[in-house]
Amino acid sequence: LSTPLHAIEYGGFGGRPAYPRPDNDRTESIFIHTLEPGSEKAEWVRIINNTAERKTLLIYASDSTPSTGGAFACKQFSEEKKSVWSWISLTKTEVTLDPNTNEIVPFTIKVPGNVSVGEHNGCVLIQEKKASAKDQAGVSLSVRTGIRVAITIPGQIVRKLEIDGFSVVHNDKNIVLHPRVKNSGNVSIDANVVLTTRNVFGFVIKKHEGQYPVLRDEIADWNFELPKPFWGGMFRSEFVVSYDPRPEATVGVQDDTALEHIRSESNWFFTAPTTLGLIAEIIIVLVLGFAGFLGYVAQKRKIWIRENWVNYSVKSGDDIRTLAEKFDVSWKLLAKVNALQPPYSLKKDQTIKVPPKQ
Amino acid sequence: MVINPGNLSVGIVDLAFRSISAPTVKLTDIPYQTSCQTSKGLLGTQEQQIYIANPAATNNGWTVTLSAPDPSMTWQSGKYSLDFNDPNALGCVDGDDSDNHAWILTIDPSPARVVVGQCNTCVTDNIILWNSAQFIEWKNDVITVLSGSPESDDIGDWILTGIEIRQTIPAGQPAAWEYTLPLSLSITAQ
């Protein structure tokens, strides 16, 4: 079955379902089945080596486990076989593949007769066969790719999500919004999440949207990063989770017209501005403060002029410059106070305001 | 021309994207101390980059996690056995688990950096680094380090460097042990 083929631009080793179903896009990357207790299902996994080296790859099944945050993850080979792991029989446990080749490995899923209703998850894993690194100090790393196997046992299917909480964590660089949603049903649910953050004036500054699986009996705790707002201030975040509550919905299949919406309470939070924002705010405050001070001084001068300048009757030979020199004031101020227009000519016996004599 | 099917994968590669055959993370040696200490290391360096490739259009998101082969295992160093997932949050005194050792391993992806790999048109939008978490026996056995939400590029590749690893070392432990803990870096489609 190993077929030499041309390389793609990049990639590692791993696998994927060999024959995805045309009615469910998700089957291109995970195995999804609804199986009766006691039934058996044939499946095929395509093992792929897109590295530049010939590799011997181990293939094995495992049960699933939630990782931190409630995401789907696979258990290790050495852990106890409890659920889907023990239902899977692979026809091969390792394959050796030349660079840029693949091989299809059949396997069967045999569901026990006494299994409970609802979704059961496991994995088919592909890992490079290596000697253990005994002589190395520190953390030795191996890498593997897991393909989720989601088996739903029909019966009294319960699909129910609840808001479990919503917290905000402030980091140096950003703000992390943590909406938490609990799946109290017996199957995983694809939740459409829309998290909206508004400023104090109600304008949307960021909207996070996405579809995320919430595993059965688990609390999904997602991370949504919010860049620190430039100006800082008070903000309000809230999220809405939409999901298909109908029992007939399944992984990758939901009716968008039948969605149920659950809404979190608003979470108000304050955040300081970014460093640049803080500098900008300080400059703006200084500029506004200085402008206010100048305005205040101008207003005070205006009042003083109105209360203290006196009337003067223009004499023959006076002009605005000679009067400005005589009263020790700028000719521009004299023109402004007396609303004189260019060319600022004065008439004999005209009454104008002038500073009081010292 | 026939193209080999792509697949979601994670690997450790060098700057030229060649696989590293035996990737390791060295932790700083701590001399003998009378107080509890922390030894640190970096998972994902320039020489050992974590490389995530999704050429298969896995379009409903994926998760990269770290886990030990068995939650009940210990670090081994000669006659010594050391824990990595003690339930005592400080890791300085043995907690209530299946062994008699303290020690706790913390994985902190928050200071890490994600950049685009070989795909020039890809972006790092919706590729999310997770918060710091400690291994806790039977509770936090698998730690999420990175995830691609369904809105991330359906076809793309990314490089992850700078995940901080911190191991607490209780007081009175001999220095510079040649200890080893195997961890698995896994990628799974959601």
Side-chain angles (χ1 to χ4, degrees):
Chain A
L1 285 171
S2 182
T3 321
L5 298 164
H6 196 277
I8 62 166
E9 191 178 352
Y10 49 83
F13 64 84
R16 57 194 292 186
Y19 304 113
R21 298 203 317 259
D23 62 333
N24 190 340
D25 291 347
R26 294 281 291 281
T27 58
E28 291 175 6
S29 48
I30 64 179
F31 296 103
I32 303 167
H33 292 292
T34 297
L35 301 175
E36 295 286 345
S39 65
E40 194 169 319
K41 176 75 183 172
E43 256 294 3
W44 295 265
V45 57
R46 187 186 296 273
I47 311 298
I48 301 165
N49 178 17
N50 278 326
T51 70
E53 303 105 34
R54 179 181 169 89
K55 286 196 183 292
T56 297
L57 302 173
L58 299 171
I59 314 158
Y60 58 93
S62 84
D63 285 324
S64 69
T65 184
S67 61
T68 50
F72 178 86
C74 305
K75 285 192 172 178
Q76 294 283 352
F77 182 75
S78 55
E79 293 183 71
E80 188 185 358
K81 298 175 177 62
K82 284 182 179 172
S83 178
V84 173
W85 184 344
S86 57
W87 308 353
I88 293 176
S89 301
L90 288 148
T91 55
K92 282 190 174 184
T93 54
E94 66 177 62
V95 295
T96 299
L97 293 175
D98 287 327
N100 306 307
T101 60
N102 69 91
E103 178 175 335
I104 293 173
V105 173
F107 65 96
T108 53
I109 305 165
K110 190 171 183 181
V111 182
N114 58 350
V115 67
S116 63
V117 170
E119 187 179 291
H120 299 259
N121 283 281
C123 300
V124 171
L125 288 134
I126 298 103
Q127 182 169 350
E128 188 175 9
K129 186 178 184 180
K130 283 181 181 177
S132 59
K134 281 182 179 170
D135 298 331
Q136 292 170 329
V139 176
S140 69
L141 289 164
S142 57
V143 294
R144 58 183 196 160
T145 299
I147 308 168
R148 180 178 168 191
V149 182
I151 310 291
T152 301
I153 308 300
Q156 189 74 35
I157 297 295
V158 179
R159 295 173 58 84
K160 185 167 177 57
L161 294 180
E162 297 166 39
I163 304 288
D164 187 69
F166 186 17
S167 57
V168 179
V169 175
H170 296 260
N171 295 329
D172 291 342
K173 296 176 196 166
N174 55 25
I175 297 159
V176 183
L177 307 169
H178 285 284
R180 288 191 304 280
V181 172
K182 182 179 179 183
N183 184 344
S184 52
N186 57 10
V187 291
S188 68
I189 295 175
D190 292 331
N192 301 307
V193 182
V194 179
L195 192 157
T196 310
T197 302
R198 293 180 168 84
N199 63 17
V200 73
F201 305 109
F203 294 113
V204 174
I205 63 160
K206 182 77 179 176
K207 189 177 258 192
H208 297 88
E209 294 180 76
Q211 189 184 70
Y212 305 90
V214 187
L215 303 177
R216 66 176 288 185
D217 305 321
E218 290 297 331
I219 294 173
D221 179 357
W222 299 300
N223 276 357
F224 293 104
E225 287 182 2
L226 183 68
K228 214 168 191 177
F230 186 79
W231 298 108
M234 285 299 293
F235 296 90
R236 173 168 56 100
S237 290
E238 57 196 6
F239 67 96
V240 178
V241 175
S242 308
Y243 69 100
D244 188 344
R246 298 171 309 124
E248 55 268 37
T250 184
V251 180
V253 178
Q254 65 177 21
D255 181 352
D256 289 343
T257 63
L259 298 183
E260 187 167 311
H261 308 279
I262 52 174
R263 189 179 296 271
S264 75
E265 291 186 351
S266 293
N267 193 330
W268 283 90
F269 59 94
F270 173 79
T271 180
T274 62
T275 306
L276 275 179
L278 183 62
I279 292 169
E281 285 178 5
I282 290 171
I283 290 172
I284 288 169
V285 166
L286 289 175
V287 167
L288 288 176
F290 187 63
F293 174 74
L294 290 180
Y296 172 76
V297 169
Q299 189 64 21
K300 289 288 281 184
R301 189 173 69 165
K302 201 172 175 182
I303 292 168
W304 187 87
I305 288 171
R306 191 167 62 225
E307 290 176 349
N308 293 283
W309 281 28
V310 295
N311 289 338
Y312 173 80
S313 182
V314 176
K315 297 179 177 59
S316 179
D318 284 343
D319 63 30
I320 194 155
R321 286 191 183 279
T322 57
L323 288 176
E325 284 173 15
K326 183 176 179 181
F327 290 97
D328 195 20
V329 67
S330 83
W331 68 267
K332 286 181 181 173
L333 179 60
L334 208 54
K336 188 178 175 185
V337 170
N338 290 285
L340 300 177
Q341 299 296 323
Y344 310 111
S345 55
L346 297 171
K347 294 176 185 166
K348 186 171 177 282
D349 297 330
Q350 179 182 350
T351 301
I352 63 170
K353 291 281 187 185
V354 295
K357 274 274 187 185
Q358 299 293 315
Chain B
M1 182 175 73
V2 181
I3 303 293
N4 201 33
N7 62 281
L8 184 67
S9 66
V10 63
I12 310 289
V13 300
D14 62 15
L15 281 170
F17 295 93
R18 289 183 297 249
S19 294
I20 304 287
S21 59
T24 54
V25 177
K26 296 269 186 192
L27 298 176
T28 50
D29 286 343
I30 297 289
Y32 182 90
Q33 296 283 347
T34 53
S35 59
C36 193
Q37 299 290 312
T38 301
S39 177
K40 293 181 180 175
L42 274 186
L43 170 55
T45 61
Q46 279 218 322
E47 298 75 30
Q48 295 189 9
Q49 306 178 107
I50 300 171
Y51 180 57
I52 297 112
N54 181 19
T58 300
N59 56 10
N60 211 62
W62 43 263
T63 308
V64 177
T65 56
L66 264 178
S67 55
D70 184 347
S72 62
M73 73 172 295
T74 51
W75 297 76
Q76 292 303 316
S77 175
K79 63 179 181 177
Y80 298 105
S81 293
L82 323 163
D83 206 357
F84 72 99
N85 58 0
D86 196 271
N88 184 318
L90 295 176
C92 297
V93 180
D94 183 41
D96 184 20
D97 61 354
S98 59
D99 56 60
N100 297 319
H101 313 291
W103 299 58
I104 198 162
L105 187 65
T106 301
I107 307 294
D108 188 358
S110 61
R113 184 164 175 257
V114 185
V115 295
V116 168
Q118 300 173 77
C119 166
N120 293 330
T121 56
C122 296
V123 294
T124 57
D125 293 356
N126 299 300
I127 307 293
I128 299 160
L129 283 166
W130 283 69
N131 293 334
S132 173
Q134 296 175 324
F135 282 109
I136 302 171
E137 191 168 340
W138 308 124
K139 185 180 174 195
N140 280 2
D141 293 331
V142 184
I143 291 179
T144 312
V145 294
L146 188 78
S147 62
S149 73
E151 291 69 45
S152 62
D153 282 331
D154 284 349
I155 294 179
D157 67 332
W158 300 271
I159 292 164
L160 172 61
T161 52
I163 297 173
E164 196 169 293
I165 291 185
R166 298 190 291 270
Q167 171 75 47
T168 57
I169 301 177
Q173 304 285 349
W177 282 336
E178 292 294 305
Y179 44 71
T180 302
L181 179 73
L183 288 182
S184 289
L185 194 61
S186 308
I187 191 163
T188 317
Q190 293 292 303

